[in-house]
Amino acid sequence: MSLTARVAILALLLASPLFADWPAEKSSFEAAYGAETPEARIAAVKALHEFDHPEGMALLLAAYSTEKDFDVRHVLADAMNAITNVRARDVFRDTILKHPEAETRVRFCALFADGRMLDRFEMLRFLLRDPSELVRARALRNLGDTDAALIADASKLVDDDIADVRMAACGALGVVKSAEAGPALIRVLEKEKLAEIRWAAGDALGKISGEMNGEDVAAWKKWWSNKMLAAMGPVEKALWRGGEFLKGRLTTLLDTYKNAKGPIPGDDSMRLMNVRGITLIIYAMIHAGVPMDDPLMKEGIEVLEKMPINSTYDVSICAMALADVDAAGHRERLAEIAQWLCDTQCTNGQWSYGSWTGQVVSPAKPGPEKKTETPSPKAGGETAAEAAKIRIAWRNHQRSPTGDNSNTQYALLGLRACLGAADIPKPVWQVSLSYFRKTQAPDGSWGYGPGQQPGYGSMTVGGVAA
């Protein structure tokens, strides 16, 4: 070891509280801090020297948790902020976030009332998620105009179960003054039952925008649309406008779907016109950038989670949408769709419409799940993700002889969307690939079905995609 390294280690040891008379300094502090006057307690804090260690942090936090004087708390906060020891910072975080008494956690929230404190952003983010509504509300009231990075966390709290937290969230968003809070505050105006909270939301929107629209939802939606459009490029504008248009169409379809007493006698047009429309719209809205927490998006996804599995187009689009939303969260639903698509594949490798042609009326359940306890760690072995997939059975039952290339394209896209959740049998892919190779025309195109010539653009695209 070099002389320089030995000197550095010695310096660190000498600076350690192990070499300082910390017990004596702690006792002296505790005696002096018991004084009645704030001035004496401030002097006791400032007299501390060797406190940059976990015990020093614990001592200061204990004093802060019971201190009532603002000026003394301010000096204690400055002392804690001067501590840089890593383990001491851990004590700081753990003591505040894990304290068993909500009232004490509320008191600690005052440490972050301005921008001075180290770890402020991280600590406030955790405190905004505290199980106690008292802590959540107090943390919200600590937000300032430099806390735009916490807008997403604060915006979620406008939907809190506790009215005081919702009120505090509206107030905090008005203080931060970030336009990103616009949708959450407009949602409050639309759904909040308490008049005072609606007023707070309108007031916050006024502070953010500089406009005075009160609780006029239509006016605020127009403001938000203009705000969004002004910040967008041409492609973003097209996507956003498309998403807004689709929301209106989805509202109509969901209302019709929910109010339908059953399928129209004699055919399945109710399901065709509404379920398929919903699946397509949800899938398009995802790619238009509509947020997953949008109420209409949530309602549409709930339909996809429960809709009948009996049409190739419908279930394939449903699988693509659910996989994009949350493949892991919809694992069992995706496996159920995958099993149905495998069961309805035609003998020649195509797909037809599904139950409309009498193929399979009700979906069969997937096979038994794979065990996931001990996935192979060997090179080339099964990964944990592969081991977690639900096994799909290849069933030897009577199948329709042929289908069409349009349904087939969608079925294969749907199966691909299921791959993260389901272990698809190889014969499904092999027989379909064999079909497309055999039926491709000399010019490279495909038609609607086997032997149908000439080929045309849309089916050729479908063939290439398949």
Side-chain angles (χ1 to χ4, degrees):
M1 183 182 294
S2 69
L3 177 61
T4 303
R6 289 198 294 271
V7 170
I9 291 173
L10 179 61
L12 287 171
L13 288 172
L14 290 173
S16 167
L18 293 173
F19 285 82
D21 190 6
W22 170 246
E25 187 171 2
K26 178 183 177 182
S27 297
S28 178
F29 169 81
E30 290 172 337
Y33 196 77
E36 293 186 4
T37 65
E39 293 78 11
R41 296 198 296 278
I42 289 173
V45 176
K46 291 184 175 180
L48 282 171
H49 296 292
E50 301 295 341
F51 58 91
D52 190 1
H53 48 81
E55 287 190 22
M57 179 67 82
L59 180 69
L60 293 170
L61 283 166
Y64 190 94
S65 68
T66 58
E67 181 58 57
K68 297 180 179 179
D69 186 86
F70 174 82
D71 291 331
V72 180
R73 290 202 305 269
H74 191 84
V75 173
L76 285 166
D78 284 342
M80 285 185 268
N81 214 28
I83 294 178
T84 58
N85 180 281
V86 174
R87 289 190 296 126
R89 301 310 304 180
D90 289 340
V91 169
F92 177 79
R93 286 188 289 271
D94 290 346
T95 301
I96 293 173
L97 298 177
K98 297 179 182 180
H99 198 284
E101 296 177 2
E103 293 80 1
T104 303
R105 298 199 302 278
V106 169
R107 184 180 292 273
F108 281 136
C109 282
L111 283 164
F112 312 104
D114 54 43
R116 296 176 305 121
M117 185 59 65
L118 293 174
D119 311 319
R120 180 176 183 275
F121 175 80
E122 176 192 9
M123 293 296 291
L124 280 176
R125 171 159 280 178
F126 281 114
L127 291 167
L128 289 171
R129 303 170 187 174
D130 194 273
S132 168
E133 66 271 20
L134 298 174
V135 178
R136 295 196 300 276
R138 183 63 180 87
L140 282 164
R141 294 184 176 105
N142 279 354
L143 299 189
D145 57 9
T146 62
D147 289 320
L150 291 167
I151 281 290
D153 299 272
S155 294
K156 291 177 182 177
L157 294 177
V158 301
D159 298 314
D160 198 273
D161 292 336
I162 306 301
D164 188 50
V165 176
R166 300 198 300 275
M167 175 70 84
C170 291
L173 295 175
V175 170
V176 179
K177 297 182 182 179
S178 170
E180 186 183 342
L185 291 168
I186 293 170
R187 190 167 69 249
V188 174
L189 294 178
E190 289 182 301
K191 297 191 172 184
E192 177 60 56
K193 295 180 180 179
L194 296 178
E196 58 268 31
I197 298 180
R198 292 197 304 273
W199 179 91
D203 182 65
L205 284 166
K207 291 175 180 176
I208 292 168
S209 66
E211 299 183 11
M212 302 301 292
N213 295 324
E215 298 175 27
D216 188 338
V217 175
W220 285 121
K221 283 187 174 181
K222 183 178 180 181
W223 163 78
W224 176 248
S225 297
N226 293 337
K227 186 82 175 175
M228 291 290 292
L229 288 170
M232 291 178 181
V235 174
E236 291 173 315
K237 285 182 181 179
L239 288 169
W240 186 83
R241 284 173 172 151
E244 291 300 299
F245 169 80
L246 290 172
K247 284 183 183 180
R249 180 61 178 151
L250 181 59
T251 299
T252 302
L253 290 177
L254 287 172
D255 288 343
T256 305
Y257 182 75
K258 287 184 294 184
N259 296 329
K261 303 300 182 183
I264 295 175
D267 60 32
D268 282 319
S269 58
M270 178 59 73
R271 183 178 52 75
L272 170 64
M273 296 306 296
N274 288 286
V275 174
R276 185 173 305 163
I278 292 169
T279 57
L280 276 169
I281 287 173
I282 289 293
Y283 189 57
M285 285 171 63
I286 292 168
H287 290 275
V290 177
M292 294 299 164
D293 60 357
D294 182 274
L296 273 175
M297 180 72 88
K298 288 182 177 179
E299 189 174 352
I301 291 169
E302 288 177 3
V303 171
L304 303 194
E305 292 169 342
K306 300 174 183 178
M307 59 172 269
I309 299 180
N310 54 12
S311 165
T312 302
Y313 284 125
D314 297 347
V315 300
S316 298
I317 301 167
C318 176
M320 289 188 280
L322 293 179
D324 280 350
V325 171
D326 179 8
H330 294 103
R331 176 171 168 267
E332 293 185 1
R333 179 65 164 171
L334 289 170
E336 188 178 15
I337 290 173
Q339 184 67 70
W340 186 88
L341 287 170
C342 290
D343 288 344
T344 55
Q345 188 179 29
C346 300
T347 304
N348 70 339
Q350 289 183 298
W351 275 264
S352 187
Y353 289 92
S355 65
W356 290 10
T357 60
Q359 280 177 274
V360 176
V361 175
S362 60
K365 293 296 182 182
E369 293 191 22
K370 287 187 174 184
K371 294 182 178 180
T372 60
E373 290 84 356
T374 54
S376 172
K378 297 179 181 179
E382 192 174 50
T383 65
E386 290 169 339
K389 292 181 180 181
I390 297 174
R391 189 186 302 277
I392 305 303
W394 174 253
R395 308 183 197 277
N396 292 316
H397 59 246
Q398 186 175 358
R399 299 170 181 268
S400 295
T402 63
D404 64 77
N405 288 345
S406 179
N407 273 290
T408 301
Q409 174 194 357
Y410 274 87
L412 289 169
L413 290 171
L415 282 172
R416 185 179 67 174
C418 295
L419 279 174
D423 182 13
I424 311 294
K426 289 183 179 179
V428 175
W429 308 112
Q430 292 169 342
V431 69
S432 187
L433 178 60
S434 176
Y435 160 78
F436 277 104
R437 282 176 170 168
K438 290 176 182 177
T439 58
Q440 187 174 23
D443 65 356
S445 66
W446 280 273
Y448 187 69
Q452 295 182 9
Q453 298 301 325
Y456 51 97
S458 60
M459 288 299 96
T460 300
V461 171
V464 172

